[in-house]
Amino acid sequence: MELINQVIYVDNVEETLDFYFQAFGFGTHALSDDAEYGELATGDVKIAFANHPYAQAHFKQGYIRAHPKQPALGFELRFSCTNLSESYDIAVLAGAEPLCPPSCRGTQYYAYVRAIEGTLICLVQA
C-alpha cells in the first residue's frame, strides 16, 4: 500500500488552490472541470481539495468540517522551506492566520500558521 494524496474538504476549491499558491508557492496539478476537486503540485504525494458536496456524494456519514473560526482539527501539514522568516511572512500576507512566529526548539526551526480553510500548517526550515 502507498499513500497517494490527502484530501481536505473545503468550501471553495479554486479559492483554496489559489491561497496555497500565493502563500506557499504550490501550483495546481489538477482541477476538475466543475472545480469540485483539485490537487496541488506537491511532489509524489499530492494535497488535494474537494468541496463539501463532493464529499457528501461519496459517503453519507457526517464529518467535522475544518473552519478557521473553530478549533483546529488534530493534524497538520508540514512544509520544508529554506528561509523560515520569509516563508512565514509570505504566508501571513497571503491570508494565513499567524499562530506561532519563527521559533527554535533544540535544532529545529519552525513556525505555525493556519490556512484559510482552517488547516494547521507547520513551516520547517530545511
Side-chain angles (χ1 to χ4, degrees), residues 27-86:
T28 298
H29 173 73
L31 179 63
S32 65
D33 290 339
D34 57 10
E36 287 186 330
Y37 177 88
E39 295 177 348
L40 294 174
T42 53
D44 291 339
V45 178
K46 303 290 185 263
I47 298 172
F49 303 98
N51 66 17
H52 294 292
Y54 177 96
Q56 293 159 348
H58 285 82
F59 59 91
K60 301 300 179 204
Q61 297 82 356
Y63 58 92
I64 298 171
R65 293 181 179 206
H67 191 280
K69 302 286 188 231
Q70 299 295 328
L73 299 177
F75 75 95
E76 66 187 50
L77 298 176
R78 285 188 166 222
F79 301 144
S80 174
C81 58
T82 55
N83 186 324
L84 181 60
S85 293
E86 180 181 34

Side-chain angles (χ1 to χ4, degrees), residues 6-8 20 24 26 40 42 45-49 73-80 111-113 115 117 119-124:
Q6 172 155 355
V7 181
I8 300 169
Y20 276 79
F24 309 110
F26 294 117
L40 294 174
T42 53
V45 178
K46 303 290 185 263
I47 298 172
F49 303 98
L73 299 177
F75 75 95
E76 66 187 50
L77 298 176
R78 285 188 166 222
F79 301 144
S80 174
Y112 278 90
V113 296
E117 80 288 347
T119 303
L120 291 173
I121 308 287
C122 180
L123 302 172
V124 179

Side-chain angles (χ1 to χ4, degrees), residues 10-17 35 51-52:
V10 299
D11 290 326
N12 185 308
V13 172
E14 289 178 297
E15 180 180 289
T16 305
L17 290 169
N51 66 17
H52 294 292

